Amino acid sequence: MLTVISLLDVSGAHAAAVHSKPNPNWDAIARCESSGNWRANTGNGHYGGLQFTQSSWKAAGGRKYAPRADLATKAEQIATARRLAKIQGMGAWTCARRT
């Protein structure tokens, strides 16, 4: 019985690790999301290199840096993305599944 519990714990931890991507490649995600343009504002309602919606930018605290993601630095966008990933997971970026 102890062995079964241990195996379940290991497989559960493995499943969580596969889905969490603790160190995402933000440059690769930005290349996919915005062709790597950290100042992207194409009028589609998504902003910056990581294509934040305004509501996601605000929810993750990005407004402490700039009113919109495209007006923030790359480092500020990544810091905000890390907070958003903790809130929402990496599913916030379609391209995160591809990188």
Side-chain angles (χ1 to χ4, degrees):
M1 186 70 165
L2 290 175
T3 302
V4 173
I5 292 170
S6 177
L7 288 175
L8 288 174
D9 288 342
V10 171
S11 63
H14 176 70
V18 167
H19 295 292
S20 66
K21 288 196 178 187
N23 295 310
N25 183 337
W26 295 111
D27 284 310
I29 294 169
R31 279 191 301 276
C32 177
E33 294 281 349
S34 67
S35 300
N37 180 2
W38 293 92
R39 298 285 186 201
N41 178 358
T42 61
N44 68 356
H46 294 81
Y47 303 95
L50 300 170
Q51 293 291 277
F52 288 90
T53 62
Q54 190 62 23
S55 60
S56 292
W57 181 250
K58 182 179 177 183
R63 293 196 57 183
K64 77 178 184 177
Y65 301 119
R68 289 189 323 261
D70 60 307
L71 302 174
T73 67
K74 173 183 171 180
E76 292 166 343
Q77 290 180 48
I78 291 171
T80 305
R82 287 183 177 128
R83 284 192 299 279
L84 183 61
K86 286 180 183 178
I87 296 166
Q88 243 180 280
M90 290 304 294
W93 297 274
T94 303
C95 290
R97 294 179 220 134
R98 299 178 193 161
T99 60

